[in-house]
Amino acid sequence: MDQIEKFHTDLLNELRTEGEEKSSPVSDVFFERMAGLLEAEGEIVAADRVGFVAAASNKTVRIDGIGGDPREADGILSVIVSDVIAEDEVKKINAQDAKKAFGHLINFVAASRRAAFREELIAGSHEAGAAATIASAWPSITKVKLILMTNAVYSARTDAVLAGTIADIPVTYNVWDLKRFQRYETSGRAAEKLTVNFKEDFGEGIPALKASSNGDQLDSYLAVIGGAQLGEIYEKWGARLLESNVRSFLQARGAVNRGIRDTIRDEPEMFFSYNNGLSATADSVEVEQSASGLTILSARNLQIVNGGQTTASLHAARKVSPETLGSVHVQVKLTIVPPETSEEVVPFISKYANSQNKVSAADFFSNHPFHMRMEEYSRRVLAPAAEGTNRETHWFYERARGQYLVERAKKSQAERRRFDMEFPKPQYFVKTDLAKVEMSFRLQPDTVSKGAQKNFGEFAQRIGAEWNRSDKKFDETWFRRLVAKLIIFRHLEKTIPKQPWYPGGYRANLVTYSIAKLVADLDERDQLVDLDAVWRRQFVPRDLSDALLLAGEAAAKVITSPEAGVNNITEWCKKQACWAVLQRTDVEYGPELSNCTIEPEDARSAQRDGQREEAIVSGIEAQAKVIEAGGEFWANLRTWSNERRFLSPKEDGVLKACAAGTSRLPSEKQSLIAVDVLARAKQEGFLDESEAPRVRISSLSRRH
């Protein structure tokens, strides 16, 4: 069995299992999973399920999903058709099959602009909401993106291909097939690389100067790109040009920068002088040397790591002041980073490029110490054996996409079976899972409803700011309670669709609103959900489940009864007004609720106890780590840190003691300080030779 067949088999088995657990058809589970990947990739800003097919004016109209409100997506209307084939054999489709599916989508978009069609749809239905969004947003729409998601193998290549117009609005085709999903799930973003061909597709190459020598670790260029050309490139590729965290923060901030906009409109010839330009990376470039100088013809996997706001503003100017873009020029610092080292190097480029911002896009990259700490806990902390089992397990936190499958794949068959028992797939979670769960418990269901990217951007800003104030609270107890929140969240995902009051949709919105409602009501009583009890049991007790479902029933009534003037329930769920209505709604929980709650002071006391226990264990572990690394390692770290004036006198003394090796055993307290210095040093570029990738990154921090 080859890789694609195995991926297909595993995918179908997982979809069927999840469908049974959640009482959902496989088609819904497939849409949710794959549309989530499209959100993470930046293909869409949100993923709202529709699932509608009918006949209108003797034509088949169909839509399976809509990628959010175009007015919040740079004017891009993304509509989705989703085909999951339940057969065990991998199927193939061709361009004609895709064109037929896209034709049905086009028919729905066109029909949605007609009042007569919209009036025939059931009020409050998913399709009515999608049609209302399309009709009301149409004056703002600049592009229609048609997306086909399928678990078949597509025989052609269709990615952002122009395919005509609808009422003079350009339309593109995008196909995400089984092979594309397989590449993305196993290797992450790097597997879906776009190639920007400046000369062939966008008029001309971009003039550049080589900014590196042959002996340098990385090739780099200083280039200048025209504002019109950059806007056109963003028109085709959109947010996929932006490194993922830049995209998250750009979406979290929202509006196009007014200063950039005014310069484009009023003083376009001064844009180059006023604007800081872009920092970008690429896997490789094609260049041409001529008598007039060096020209970059194309760039593979071009990613903007700083300057997303500039790029989006230039794109927006194509509509409001296109005549000025010809006078706009933007400087670009382009670094060529080989794929095998991008995980190490790109975060540092992004971090330093964004260093003028207190909480920047780079601050919450996958190698931020928050994520690294959560990853460390997820590999070390054993969860109690669930009821009916006698085996302790781990909850696997995937800090960087593909870690779980890569870790599993490199093991032998016997080791893989042990891995599956130790790290069961249902106990795997990623950054966006962490963000939506945590934001639900932080009473932000309207933000969670805005989609994975926007929610993660808000979450990252909050957690990043809290971490900068003090990282002490993000301890092992915090991690255990996070897992308890995940258990609750996933329990509701399974149980809500089975309730008699379930409206037949909006499950994702109901889950986050149910949690937020109960947590808010408990806060009014000065009570908390007893997360420690959920952690110990590894399941949601009956009394807590009943209370959450009562909150969910109230939430269902509120979100399916939007305020006047709101025709799309999914969009209603994204509004603070929706959350405000639910907060004012009274729910009678009953006395059993007290069986699953805890006093805030008791929760704080439990965390303090946990911190003391963790400190004892951590001290011993830190001491063992110091001894294991050896005196030479700590001597090297001390030299590196002192060269950069990185150490306090106390820390320098600790590293000196560690460098003495076995002749002078450091205390547990000293060892903890040494390990903390090491973590900070790695954030600034220190890398031990035994860990170093082919391109060393320590030199990247020298200019700081």
Side-chain angles (χ1 to χ4, degrees):
M1 182 182 294
D2 65 18
Q3 284 189 341
I4 195 66
E5 289 175 336
K6 186 177 186 314
F7 179 77
H8 177 257
T9 300
D10 291 345
L11 175 64
L12 274 184
N13 289 338
E14 289 171 14
L15 294 176
R16 289 163 179 160
T17 300
E18 189 174 344
E20 290 175 4
E21 290 176 347
K22 296 178 178 178
S23 298
S24 299
V26 168
S27 56
D28 284 355
V29 179
F30 176 77
F31 177 89
E32 181 181 331
R33 175 164 170 172
M34 298 314 179
L37 293 184
L38 266 60
E39 278 190 73
E41 173 70 2
E43 191 84 288
I44 56 179
V45 299
D48 302 328
R49 181 74 163 121
V50 182
F52 175 74
V53 60
S57 302
N58 296 320
K59 294 181 179 179
T60 299
V61 294
R62 178 182 176 185
I63 182 171
D64 289 309
I66 183 169
D69 192 319
R71 288 162 290 199
E72 298 177 2
D74 296 328
I76 300 173
L77 169 64
S78 299
V79 286
I80 304 166
V81 60
S82 176
D83 273 328
V84 58
I85 300 169
E87 297 176 31
D88 293 331
E89 182 184 351
V90 176
K91 298 295 183 182
K92 294 183 179 180
I93 59 171
N94 56 32
Q96 196 62 35
D97 298 319
K99 189 175 181 180
K100 181 179 179 180
F102 287 137
H104 297 162
L105 267 179
I106 291 172
N107 293 341
F108 183 88
V109 172
S112 296
R113 300 179 61 219
R114 302 194 300 267
F117 173 75
R118 297 195 302 274
E119 289 167 2
E120 292 175 359
L121 300 175
I122 300 172
S125 65
H126 296 277
E127 57 270 21
T133 295
I134 292 170
S136 61
W138 193 260
S140 305
I141 293 173
T142 58
K143 182 169 76 173
V144 178
K145 183 188 291 186
L146 307 178
I147 301 172
L148 168 61
M149 302 190 312
T150 178
N151 66 331
V153 172
Y154 184 52
S155 58
R157 179 68 175 169
T158 303
D159 189 18
V161 174
L162 279 172
T165 62
I166 301 177
D168 296 326
I169 303 296
V171 178
T172 63
Y173 286 172
N174 301 263
V175 176
W176 283 75
D177 70 338
L178 186 69
K179 284 188 174 180
R180 196 170 181 186
F181 282 127
Q182 187 261 347
R183 288 195 303 270
Y184 188 80
E185 285 215 342
T186 55
S187 304
R189 184 178 181 84
E192 275 304 316
K193 294 176 180 177
L194 51 88
T195 297
V196 179
N197 197 315
F198 301 105
K199 185 175 182 179
E200 288 188 13
D201 297 336
F202 301 101
E204 59 183 353
I206 58 175
L209 292 172
K210 187 77 178 289
S212 57
S213 303
N214 290 335
D216 289 350
Q217 295 170 343
L218 299 174
D219 287 336
S220 54
Y221 299 86
L222 292 175
V224 177
I225 188 169
Q229 190 179 29
L230 182 58
E232 189 179 349
I233 292 169
Y234 191 80
E235 169 70 18
K236 177 170 183 176
W237 298 110
R240 287 178 60 192
L241 278 174
L242 307 179
E243 183 277 323
S244 60
N245 283 56
V246 175
R247 178 172 67 249
S248 295
F249 276 74
L250 181 62
Q251 290 179 345
R253 286 197 302 267
V256 170
N257 185 282
R258 185 174 299 173
I260 298 175
R261 182 198 63 192
D262 291 347
T263 302
I264 296 169
R265 183 189 62 204
D266 302 329
E267 300 179 277
E269 69 284 351
M270 297 302 294
F271 192 90
F272 185 87
S273 299
Y274 291 165
N275 189 266
N276 289 331
L278 313 179
S279 291
T281 64
D283 288 358
S284 61
V285 291
E286 180 187 1
V287 298
E288 181 180 74
Q289 184 73 53
S290 66
S292 58
L294 187 70
T295 302
I296 298 176
L297 304 179
S298 66
R300 177 169 170 76
N301 198 28
L302 181 69
Q303 291 287 281
I304 295 169
V305 299
N306 183 41
Q309 197 74 39
T310 295
T311 307
S313 298
L314 287 166
H315 175 256
R318 297 174 81 248
K319 186 174 183 181
V320 295
S321 54
E323 70 284 352
T324 66
L325 283 182
S327 301
V328 172
H329 294 88
V330 185
Q331 57 183 322
V332 183
K333 184 183 76 172
L334 178 62
T335 305
I336 311 306
V337 183
E340 62 270 18
T341 62
S342 61
E343 176 74 15
E344 289 288 342
V345 177
V346 173
F348 285 91
I349 295 174
S350 187
K351 177 179 179 179
Y352 297 136
N354 287 280
S355 59
Q356 70 272 21
N357 301 321
K358 186 175 182 181
V359 180
S360 70
D363 283 341
F364 224 66
F365 221 114
S366 59
N367 72 337
H368 185 281
F370 169 83
H371 295 298
M372 296 176 76
R373 185 179 293 180
M374 293 304 111
E375 178 187 43
E376 188 268 326
Y377 284 144
S378 79
R379 307 302 193 269
R380 178 172 62 80
V381 177
L382 280 167
E387 187 176 24
T389 70
N390 58 3
R391 187 182 185 89
E392 295 177 318
T393 57
H394 292 277
W395 283 74
F396 190 103
Y397 178 53
E398 188 172 79
R399 177 176 57 84
R401 180 165 290 281
Q403 279 182 321
Y404 183 88
L405 290 177
V406 169
E407 185 71 23
R408 186 177 182 275
K410 66 185 182 183
K411 298 183 180 300
S412 67
Q413 197 152 359
E415 290 172 333
R416 201 171 295 168
R417 285 194 293 270
R418 287 196 296 271
F419 180 87
D420 290 344
M421 289 188 288
E422 186 177 355
F423 298 98
K425 188 68 182 287
Q427 293 178 196
Y428 147 92
F429 64 105
V430 299
K431 292 196 294 290
T432 49
D433 294 331
L434 191 162
K436 69 184 179 182
V437 167
E438 186 64 22
M439 291 291 277
S440 298
F441 276 84
R442 287 173 177 243
L443 310 185
Q444 301 292 314
D446 50 321
T447 303
V448 176
S449 296
K450 290 177 182 177
Q453 284 294 320
K454 288 191 175 182
N455 180 63
F456 184 80
E458 293 287 348
F459 164 78
Q461 287 185 321
R462 289 167 183 251
I463 298 295
E466 290 174 20
W467 182 278
N468 288 339
R469 288 195 294 271
S470 173
D471 66 330
K472 300 301 182 186
K473 79 170 188 177
F474 299 102
D475 55 13
E476 189 172 311
T477 300
W478 196 93
F479 173 77
R480 288 173 173 167
R481 289 173 178 173
L482 168 67
V483 169
K485 294 171 186 176
L486 275 163
I487 292 169
I488 291 169
F489 199 97
R490 292 178 175 179
H491 170 80
L492 282 178
E493 286 183 321
K494 296 175 185 176
T495 54
I496 280 179
K498 300 175 183 178
Q499 304 311 306
W501 46 260
Y502 180 58
Y506 317 109
R507 187 195 67 186
N509 309 110
L510 284 169
V511 170
T512 183
Y513 270 88
S514 301
I515 290 171
K517 174 60 176 169
L518 178 61
V519 172
D521 286 349
L522 286 175
D523 186 56
E524 290 289 319
R525 304 180 183 191
D526 199 26
Q527 294 281 308
L528 300 171
V529 174
D530 190 350
L531 296 171
D532 296 330
V534 175
W535 163 262
R536 289 191 298 270
R537 297 177 179 181
Q538 290 293 293
F539 71 90
V540 179
R542 176 64 181 272
D543 291 336
L544 178 56
S545 179
D546 289 346
L548 286 162
L549 292 174
L550 286 170
E553 185 174 5
K557 292 175 183 176
V558 169
I559 70 174
T560 55
S561 304
E563 62 185 11
V566 179
N567 298 318
N568 188 324
I569 290 174
T570 304
E571 294 304 314
W572 166 237
C573 293
K574 300 173 185 177
K575 297 182 180 294
Q576 290 183 351
C578 179
W579 172 225
V581 172
L582 181 58
Q583 284 181 290
R584 294 193 297 268
T585 303
D586 291 329
V587 176
E588 292 294 331
Y589 292 104
E592 295 80 10
L593 179 58
S594 61
N595 296 333
C596 48
T597 61
I598 189 173
E599 299 281 345
E601 180 52 40
D602 290 339
R604 287 190 289 270
S605 177
Q607 184 161 27
R608 287 193 295 269
D609 292 342
Q611 287 173 339
R612 281 193 289 269
E613 291 177 10
E614 186 178 359
I616 295 170
V617 174
S618 297
I620 296 170
E621 290 177 342
Q623 197 174 47
K625 185 169 186 176
V626 168
I627 296 168
E628 181 183 2
E632 185 180 354
F633 173 90
W634 299 106
N636 290 338
L637 175 60
R638 185 185 179 211
T639 301
W640 185 94
S641 300
N642 279 323
E643 286 175 354
R644 291 155 182 80
R645 298 181 180 179
F646 189 68
L647 300 175
S648 68
K650 180 179 180 180
E651 290 168 337
D652 181 65
V654 166
L655 291 190
K656 183 178 180 181
C658 294
T662 56
S663 64
R664 182 184 170 190
L665 187 65
S667 68
E668 291 180 17
K669 188 174 181 180
Q670 287 176 317
S671 299
L672 285 168
I673 293 172
V675 170
D676 182 62
V677 169
L678 174 60
R680 284 168 31 224
K682 284 188 174 182
Q683 280 300 110
E684 294 301 319
F686 176 77
L687 211 66
D688 176 33
E689 293 294 343
S690 64
E691 298 176 325
R694 281 169 46 189
V695 176
R696 283 187 42 86
I697 62 177
S698 57
S699 61
L700 294 176
S701 62
R702 288 175 187 162
R703 64 188 181 89
H704 297 275

